[in-house]
């Protein structure tokens, strides 16, 4: 390496590459500030009603093909800790495409165009060969609102940056990554270290200190859900991401939620989360 500057110029050459521009001044925050701000944002919302547009796709590079679903209008109702209702309308005619209701432990999904319903538990007890059947309502709850960090978790933070093309500029965005895990038992009793089992990684923009991404891990340490949060907008008294892109790598499925309107902390009754399955529908039960 020391001899390289003395070698003939024919052995190497220098060329121009696009220079990254810093997206803005980076702010500093401690682990405590990131965790507290995240928990405060979550605790400030008890109910949420959102008018949205859904866009979904399945497949991708692993399958060698991708199917894009026509965007459709819809609504999301959420009442903490775990009540959820998602209603989607068919394009143009605006009749129900599907209607999903969950109480946090079980769910019902009604699909009127097919006179079909799916019911089951939110937790998969037996994986299906059809990966889409392993999608359960919890991925909505985990993605729409970034859940708080509970006191029993182990956390650490690293500084990083992301390069993104914006127009003709290459922007470098400084970020924090909040790594969240829990103690795990060492498989080898001779192992003289503490094992950390990852549960989530939350990315914060250091320009705003707001969450811009989240990875949620399964029991085997594989990314189960990846979420990207788009630019934040003011919706009344709160800031919410204008887009929420949810990727499920195992099921090769992606859904993008474009948020059009949000109302928080208005009363939502139990009846608004009740869903009746028509008696003439074919019902499938998932384990």
């Amino acid at each position: 390496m020391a001899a390289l500057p003395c070698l003939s110029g024919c052995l190497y050459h220098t060329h121009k590459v696009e220079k990254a521009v810093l997206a803005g001044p980076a702010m500093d925050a401690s682990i405590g500030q990131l965790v507290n701000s995240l928990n405060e944002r979550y605790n400030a919302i008890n109910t949420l009603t959102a008018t949205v547009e859904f866009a979904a796709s399945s497949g991708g590079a692993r399958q060698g093909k991708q199917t894009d679903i026509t965007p459709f209008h819809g609504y999301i109702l959420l009442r903490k800790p775990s009540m959820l209702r998602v209603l989607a309308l068919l394009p143009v005619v605006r009749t129900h495409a599907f209607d999903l209701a969950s109480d946090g432990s079980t769910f019902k999904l009604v699909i009127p165009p097919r006179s079909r319903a799916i019911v089951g538990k939110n937790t998969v007890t037996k994986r299906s060969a059809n990966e889409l059947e392993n999608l359960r309502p919890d991925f909505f709850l985990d993605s729409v609102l970034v859940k708080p960090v509970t006191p029993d978790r182990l956390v650490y933070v690293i500084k990083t940056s992301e390069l993104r093309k914006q127009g003709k500029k290459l922007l470098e965005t400084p970020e924090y990554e909040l790594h969240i895990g829990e103690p795990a038992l060492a498989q080898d009793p001779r192992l003289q270290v503490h094992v950390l089992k990852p549960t989530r990684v939350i990315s914060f923009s250091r320009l705003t200190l707001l969450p811009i991404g989240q990875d949620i891990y399964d029991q085997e340490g594989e990314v189960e859900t990846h979420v990207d949060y788009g630019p934040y907008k003011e919706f009344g008294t709160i800031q919410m991401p204008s887009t929420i892109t949810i990727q499920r790598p195992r099921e090769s499925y992606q859904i993008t939620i474009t948020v059009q309107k949000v109302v928080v902390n208005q009363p939502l009754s139990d009846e608004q989360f009740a869903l009746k399955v028509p008696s003439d529908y074919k019902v499938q039960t998932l384990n």
Side-chain angles (χ1 to χ4, degrees), residues 33-247:
Q33 289 171 324
L34 292 175
V35 170
N36 288 338
S37 67
L38 187 74
N39 291 357
E40 288 170 2
R41 283 181 56 82
Y42 180 81
N43 293 333
I45 298 175
N46 294 312
T47 67
L48 179 146
T49 303
T51 304
V52 302
E53 183 177 85
F54 297 103
S57 64
S58 61
R62 290 182 180 179
Q63 299 183 6
K65 62 179 181 179
Q66 178 172 308
T67 301
D68 297 322
I69 300 171
T70 302
F72 44 92
H73 193 72
Y75 303 92
I76 298 174
L77 279 68
L78 187 152
R79 190 182 76 192
K80 288 168 33 180
S82 53
M83 301 293 281
L84 176 70
R85 185 81 178 264
V86 181
L87 174 64
L89 305 178
L90 288 170
V92 184
V93 293
R94 292 296 178 100
T95 55
H96 289 190
F98 69 81
D99 196 349
L100 167 72
S102 171
D103 61 6
S105 58
T106 62
F107 75 92
K108 295 178 182 178
L109 173 63
V110 173
I111 311 171
R114 298 185 180 180
S115 298
R116 182 186 175 199
I118 302 172
V119 300
K121 295 182 178 180
N122 281 27
T123 302
V124 177
T125 56
K126 182 180 179 182
R127 291 197 68 85
S128 169
N130 180 357
E131 288 291 357
L132 288 178
E133 293 184 355
N134 299 317
L135 276 175
R136 302 298 165 95
D138 284 349
F139 83 92
F140 264 98
L141 288 169
D142 294 339
S143 304
V144 173
L145 295 179
V146 183
K147 289 190 173 180
V149 182
T150 53
D152 60 325
R153 297 302 184 187
L154 302 174
V155 300
Y156 65 92
V157 168
I158 64 172
K159 290 181 179 180
T160 183
S161 62
E162 187 75 21
L163 293 177
R164 296 183 179 88
K165 192 76 174 180
Q166 184 172 321
K168 295 182 178 180
K169 292 183 178 180
L170 183 63
L171 295 182
E172 179 181 1
T173 303
E175 298 178 2
Y176 280 122
E177 284 185 359
L178 177 65
H179 291 247
I180 306 167
E182 59 185 7
L185 296 176
Q187 295 181 348
D188 186 345
R190 297 170 297 177
L191 191 63
Q192 299 299 310
V193 296
H194 296 288
V195 179
L196 175 66
K197 180 180 178 181
T199 56
R200 286 189 294 162
V201 175
I202 302 171
S203 299
F204 296 80
S205 167
R206 291 184 63 202
L207 305 181
T208 62
L209 298 182
L210 292 170
I212 57 174
Q214 181 177 201
D215 284 329
I216 302 171
Y217 294 86
D218 62 15
Q219 293 297 316
E220 286 72 42
E222 184 177 355
V223 175
E224 187 173 48
T225 305
H226 173 79
V227 191
D228 287 315
Y229 299 103
Y232 280 71
K233 290 185 178 180
E234 297 282 348
F235 293 96
T237 59
I238 65 165
Q239 283 186 314
M240 287 281 293
S242 55
T243 60
I244 302 171
T245 302
I246 308 169
Q247 296 177 349

